[in-house]
Amino acid sequence: MKKNILRAKLIQIFSKYQLSKKHSEICADYLIKAELIEAKSHGLIRLKMYCDRIKKRLINPRPKIKIKKLTSSISHIDADNSIGFVSAQTAINQAIKNAKKTGIGLVAVKKSGHYGLSSFYADQAVKKNLIVFCFTNAPPALAPHGAKKSLFGTNPICFGVPTGKVPFILDTSTSIINRGKIRRAHKLGEKIPYGVALNKSGKITTNAKEALLGSQLPIASFKGSGLAWMVDILSGVLTGSSHGGKTKDPFDDFTGPQNVGHLFITIDPKVFVGLNFIKEIKKNIKIVKKLPKAKGFSSILYPGERKNKVYKKNLNKDISIPSKILKEMDELNAI
Amino acid sequence: MKKNILRAKLIQIFSKYQLSKKHSEICADYLIKAELIEAKSHGLIRLKMYCDRIKKRLINPRPKIKIKKLTSSISHIDADNSIGFVSAQTAINQAIKNAKKTGIGLVAVKKSGHYGLSSFYADQAVKKNLIVFCFTNAPPALAPHGAKKSLFGTNPICFGVPTGKVPFILDTSTSIINRGKIRRAHKLGEKIPYGVALNKSGKITTNAKEALLGSQLPIASFKGSGLAWMVDILSGVLTGSSHGGKTKDPFDDFTGPQNVGHLFITIDPKVFVGLNFIKEIKKNIKIVKKLPKAKGFSSILYPGERKNKVYKKNLNKDISIPSKILKEMDELNAI
């Protein structure tokens, strides 16, 4: 489907589900962006879920988002159960503003939902020449080190830096593999790799369904578990959102709003070394890229480079949509 | 050796090497602390190295540390090639002060050196009821993903949170195992585990010497490589220090000062949710601890708990010092 046609359709659907025109546009653009960077698990496959949650008012289509300015650097946002895309967009705008004014921004969001990919928001701060951290928690997927039951989300750590060229954007979950990959293996009846997930009894499994019902393993055992815990504290406990496994699964749990939390930290890199920052980061990247390559590597990429290539490759192509999702879109549009 | 006797000896040695009384005390206390938490690779084993570097004026024994206050939240410290302990102590004091005043502190340090363990400084901020990040870069040890030569340090990520009880302090290197363990295996003629390091030609090795000459592998391949890179940018590029593999090895490279950089971010958790923060973090920890345990685990510990137990266990015991180090101490004290 042509991008502009898809965009119009998505805006129409979200509008039918009572979102304002502006909010519908934000949501449409992020779903399309997920498709363009081939993060399909965060793209159109989620459209029906979002609409179902709006219909049940677990996502508030007309949120009264309150931005509480605590200092000129720090803001606290009550997203009023808005769709995550809109709360996070509000928050990153604020975090950019705060850092531009004072050198550092800290913005916490409560009562939000799944916001797509952290890199969506990091990208915007980086394009305004800021360093940025984005943290969000997520429903239980990961067993804490020493436990055999999932509790943390795949809680990503996202860090972005301007480079003068393609943004450096690290966006890494704290699980060994992404949950989307396990869902996909389940759908296709494929096995998952050994050592990435446990079944319900706490034993390693290569069966995708068992893994989804069991728990995923964190990267580097206690190290990844600690990092996932850190993200739960920063985005859940600190912001006044759900934490400790109470964040609801958007696909499976319709007993209430998700109450996801996000935290954004923005830093103006000019504060310490002025324009030298860009000169030095360019030097840094150049040095790494020139290292002798490991077997099987023809080049060394920095985080964000590969995704940027994929995005550019797909930018002027049509977006291919599986018939199942096309049908869902028609049904959602028919109300 | 009794702790107070050891402390007096260390202060005497550092004083002989021209450090002020106050700076000598800071250094003595951190070396003892490393011993007490059984992080021996960061303890007395490093004393001679510090003294050797002072003697060659690669560490400045009488630094004129300049604290440039950029805003009430942000400070930039030129540590004037001070011993790392002293620069980091100056910086964490400032970061605590800034966050207490404004809710957030950001303190960058340039021209510093190896500062021991990040948890030393995180601990102090947490005891003042602050959330804290500590970042520092280090000499080359880790091969970036796709490279077969080391460039990043084992660059730790350190994150601390007040819990109302024992501080939550995650202090994790981005390498699969700590460099100290490889050095130890080398000394004892032991093998290292498979899959944690490469030899000079980029092949996996279990030989400790080959690993030290080659490179260590990051946790979770590209994820850990990205995290190590992030730490290099935050503590090296952003602060105006060495980066991209230019940080000098304190043991092996006497061609100049190390020029390590550190970055501290402090957040007052009360800004968003007031005193509820401690209530909620306690709840969070309780939930995790109650999870069904994995095989081989009788309890689930949060980061920092184990180290705290070790510290308390050792606090009132004498410190056992290998004869080789005792001899070094006598020689250092004899000048």
Side-chain angles (χ1 to χ4, degrees), chain A residues 113-116 118 134-138 154-156 231-232 235-236 260-263:
Chain A
H114 186 268
Y115 70 20
S118 298
C134 309
F135 300 106
T136 186
N137 59 3
T154 52
N155 294 2
V231 173
D232 195 40
S235 39
V260 170
H262 322 304
L263 190 77

Side-chain angles (χ1 to χ4, degrees), chain A residues 16-28:
Chain A
K16 283 196 177 172
Y17 278 83
Q18 311 294 323
L19 261 65
S20 70
K21 182 161 178 285
K22 200 182 146 198
H23 289 181
S24 300
E25 285 170 354
I26 290 172
C27 297

Side-chain angles (χ1 to χ4, degrees), chain A residues 70-71 73-76 102-104 106-108 131 133 135 144-152 157 159 161 168 170 172-178 219-220 222-223 226-227 229-230 232-234 237-240 243-244 246 263 265 267-269 271-273 277 280-281 283-285 287-288 291-294 297 300-303, chain B residues 70-71 73-76 102-104 106-108 131 133 135 144-152 157 159 161 168 170 172-178 219-220 222-223 226-227 229-230 232-234 237-240 243-244 246 263 265 267-269 271-273 277 280-281 283-285 287-288 291-294 297 300-303:
Chain A
L70 301 171
T71 74
S73 295
I74 308 176
S75 311
H76 195 189
T102 69
I104 187 155
L106 175 71
V107 176
I131 288 179
F133 286 100
F135 300 106
H145 182 66
K148 64 178 183 185
K149 193 165 178 280
S150 64
L151 186 122
F152 301 132
I157 294 175
F159 171 75
V161 181
F168 177 116
L170 175 72
T172 172
S173 68
T174 44
S175 55
I176 303 178
I177 67 168
N178 294 338
I219 54 170
F222 69 93
K223 296 189 179 199
L227 291 170
W229 206 334
M230 169 183 95
D232 195 40
I233 292 170
L234 287 170
V237 184
L238 179 61
T239 64
H243 59 83
K246 307 289 184 199
L263 190 77
I265 303 175
I267 299 171
D268 187 340
V271 288
F272 298 120
V273 290
F277 182 81
E280 290 297 317
I281 188 85
K283 208 190 279 179
N284 181 283
I285 289 170
I287 292 169
V288 178
L291 287 175
K293 312 298 173 283
F297 286 83
I300 297 169
L301 299 180
Y302 58 81
Chain B
L70 301 171
T71 75
S73 296
I74 309 175
S75 311
H76 194 189
T102 69
I104 187 155
L106 175 71
V107 176
I131 289 179
F133 286 100
F135 300 105
H145 183 66
K148 64 177 184 186
K149 193 164 177 281
S150 64
L151 186 122
F152 301 133
I157 294 175
F159 172 74
V161 181
F168 177 117
L170 174 72
T172 173
S173 67
T174 44
S175 54
I176 302 178
I177 68 169
N178 294 338
I219 55 170
F222 69 92
K223 296 189 179 198
L227 291 170
W229 206 333
M230 169 182 94
D232 195 41
I233 293 170
L234 287 170
V237 184
L238 179 60
T239 65
H243 61 83
K246 306 289 184 200
L263 190 78
I265 304 174
I267 299 171
D268 187 340
V271 289
F272 298 120
V273 289
F277 182 80
E280 290 296 317
I281 188 87
K283 208 190 280 178
N284 181 283
I285 289 170
I287 293 169
V288 178
L291 286 175
K293 313 296 173 284
F297 286 84
I300 297 170
L301 299 180
Y302 59 81

Side-chain angles (χ1 to χ4, degrees), chain A residues 293-310:
Chain A
K293 312 298 173 283
K295 212 179 154 186
F297 286 83
S298 60
S299 65
I300 297 169
L301 299 180
Y302 58 81
E305 262 191 303
R306 196 193 56 78
K307 255 187 200 159
N308 190 272
K309 276 185 192 165
V310 171

Side-chain angles (χ1 to χ4, degrees), chain B residues 309-334:
Chain B
K309 276 186 192 163
V310 170
Y311 177 75
K312 283 198 174 150
K313 181 192 78 181
N314 291 331
L315 193 57
N316 297 311
K317 286 189 193 163
D318 290 356
I319 293 172
S320 96
I321 308 173
S323 58
K324 184 170 175 277
I325 292 178
L326 278 174
K327 199 174 153 234
E328 275 176 9
M329 284 174 63
D330 283 342
E331 285 166 7
L332 294 168
N333 213 351

Side-chain angles (χ1 to χ4, degrees), chain B residues 23-302:
Chain B
H23 289 182
S24 300
E25 285 171 355
I26 290 172
C27 297
D29 287 338
Y30 282 133
L31 287 181
I32 291 172
K33 192 156 190 192
E35 295 291 325
L36 292 175
I37 58 176
E38 298 178 7
K40 291 191 175 287
S41 61
H42 287 65
L44 295 171
I45 205 170
R46 289 186 179 245
L47 176 64
K48 187 176 180 310
M49 174 276 284
Y50 287 122
C51 292
D52 287 350
R53 293 187 80 83
I54 296 168
K55 200 170 160 191
K56 292 189 196 297
R57 291 297 183 266
L58 302 175
I59 290 174
N60 182 352
R62 296 284 175 159
K64 289 201 178 71
I65 299 179
K66 285 181 219 87
I67 307 177
K68 202 163 140 190
K69 201 167 171 181
L70 301 171
T71 75
S72 41
S73 296
I74 309 175
S75 311
H76 194 189
I77 294 177
D78 177 338
D80 196 21
N81 297 317
S82 160
I83 193 162
F85 299 126
V86 171
S87 0
Q89 186 57 51
T90 310
I92 196 68
N93 288 345
Q94 189 65 44
I96 290 169
K97 207 183 285 178
N98 293 3
K100 285 287 176 188
K101 201 186 239 172
T102 69
I104 187 155
L106 175 71
V107 176
V109 185
K110 67 176 177 180
K111 292 192 185 163
S112 184
H114 185 268
Y115 70 20
L117 292 164
S118 298
S119 62
F120 294 162
Y121 312 100
D123 198 52
Q124 296 175 61
V126 170
K127 284 187 175 144
K128 299 281 183 185
N129 299 309
L130 298 174
I131 289 179
V132 61
F133 286 100
C134 309
F135 300 105
T136 185
N137 59 2
L142 213 69
H145 183 66
K148 64 177 184 186
K149 193 164 177 281
S150 64
L151 186 122
F152 301 133
T154 53
N155 294 2
I157 294 175
C158 180
F159 172 74
V161 181
T163 69
K165 294 185 183 170
V166 172
F168 177 117
I169 296 185
L170 174 72
D171 182 7
T172 173
S173 67
T174 44
S175 54
I176 302 178
I177 68 169
N178 294 338
R179 196 155 189 83
K181 283 192 187 158
I182 302 182
R183 284 193 205 276
R184 194 166 177 275
H186 177 223
K187 266 195 180 165
L188 302 176
E190 289 172 358
K191 285 202 178 270
I192 57 168
Y194 184 85
V196 307
L198 306 178
N199 66 16
K200 262 193 150 176
S201 337
K203 283 196 180 121
I204 291 183
T205 180
T206 56
N207 178 301
K209 191 179 176 183
E210 279 186 22
L212 288 173
L213 294 172
S215 59
Q216 289 184 243
L217 287 172
I219 55 170
S221 80
F222 69 92
K223 296 189 179 198
S225 174
L227 291 170
W229 206 333
M230 169 182 94
V231 174
D232 195 41
I233 293 170
L234 287 170
S235 39
V237 184
L238 179 60
T239 65
S241 306
S242 287
H243 61 83
K246 306 289 184 200
T247 304
K248 290 187 198 297
D249 190 301
F251 289 103
D252 304 333
D253 188 341
F254 285 79
T255 60
Q258 274 200 281
N259 196 15
V260 170
H262 321 304
L263 190 78
F264 300 91
I265 304 174
T266 39
I267 299 171
D268 187 340
K270 286 206 308 290
V271 289
F272 298 120
V273 289
L275 295 174
N276 255 334
F277 182 80
I278 289 293
K279 221 176 83 186
E280 290 296 317
I281 188 87
K282 279 187 178 166
K283 208 190 280 178
N284 181 283
I285 289 170
K286 207 169 162 184
I287 293 169
V288 178
K289 282 187 172 287
K290 278 196 174 162
L291 286 175
K293 313 296 173 284
K295 212 179 153 187
F297 286 84
S298 60
S299 65
I300 297 170
L301 299 180
Y302 59 81

Side-chain angles (χ1 to χ4, degrees), chain A residues 143-335:
Chain A
H145 182 66
K148 64 178 183 185
K149 193 165 178 280
S150 64
L151 186 122
F152 301 132
T154 52
N155 294 2
I157 294 175
C158 179
F159 171 75
V161 181
T163 69
K165 293 185 186 170
V166 172
F168 177 116
I169 294 184
L170 175 72
D171 182 6
T172 172
S173 68
T174 44
S175 55
I176 303 178
I177 67 168
N178 294 338
R179 197 155 190 82
K181 283 192 185 156
I182 302 183
R183 285 194 203 277
R184 195 168 178 273
H186 178 222
K187 267 197 180 162
L188 302 176
E190 289 172 357
K191 285 201 179 273
I192 58 169
Y194 183 85
V196 306
L198 306 178
N199 66 15
K200 261 192 152 178
S201 336
K203 284 197 180 121
I204 291 183
T205 181
T206 56
N207 178 300
K209 192 179 176 182
E210 280 185 21
L212 288 174
L213 294 171
S215 60
Q216 289 184 243
L217 287 172
I219 54 170
S221 80
F222 69 93
K223 296 189 179 199
S225 174
L227 291 170
W229 206 334
M230 169 183 95
V231 173
D232 195 40
I233 292 170
L234 287 170
S235 39
V237 184
L238 179 61
T239 64
S241 306
S242 286
H243 59 83
K246 307 289 184 199
T247 304
K248 292 186 197 298
D249 191 301
F251 289 103
D252 304 333
D253 188 341
F254 286 79
T255 60
Q258 275 200 283
N259 196 16
V260 170
H262 322 304
L263 190 77
F264 299 92
I265 303 175
T266 38
I267 299 171
D268 187 340
K270 286 207 306 291
V271 288
F272 298 120
V273 290
L275 294 175
N276 255 334
F277 182 81
I278 289 294
K279 221 176 85 185
E280 290 297 317
I281 188 85
K282 279 187 179 166
K283 208 190 279 179
N284 181 283
I285 289 170
K286 206 170 164 185
I287 292 169
V288 178
K289 283 188 172 285
K290 278 196 174 162
L291 287 175
K293 312 298 173 283
K295 212 179 154 186
F297 286 83
S298 60
S299 65
I300 297 169
L301 299 180
Y302 58 81
E305 262 191 303
R306 196 193 56 78
K307 255 187 200 159
N308 190 272
K309 276 185 192 165
V310 171
Y311 177 75
K312 284 199 174 150
K313 180 193 76 182
N314 291 330
L315 193 57
N316 296 311
K317 286 189 193 162
D318 290 356
I319 292 171
S320 96
I321 308 173
S323 57
K324 185 172 174 278
I325 293 178
L326 278 175
K327 200 175 152 235
E328 275 177 8
M329 283 174 62
D330 283 342
E331 285 165 7
L332 293 168
N333 213 352
I335 65 162

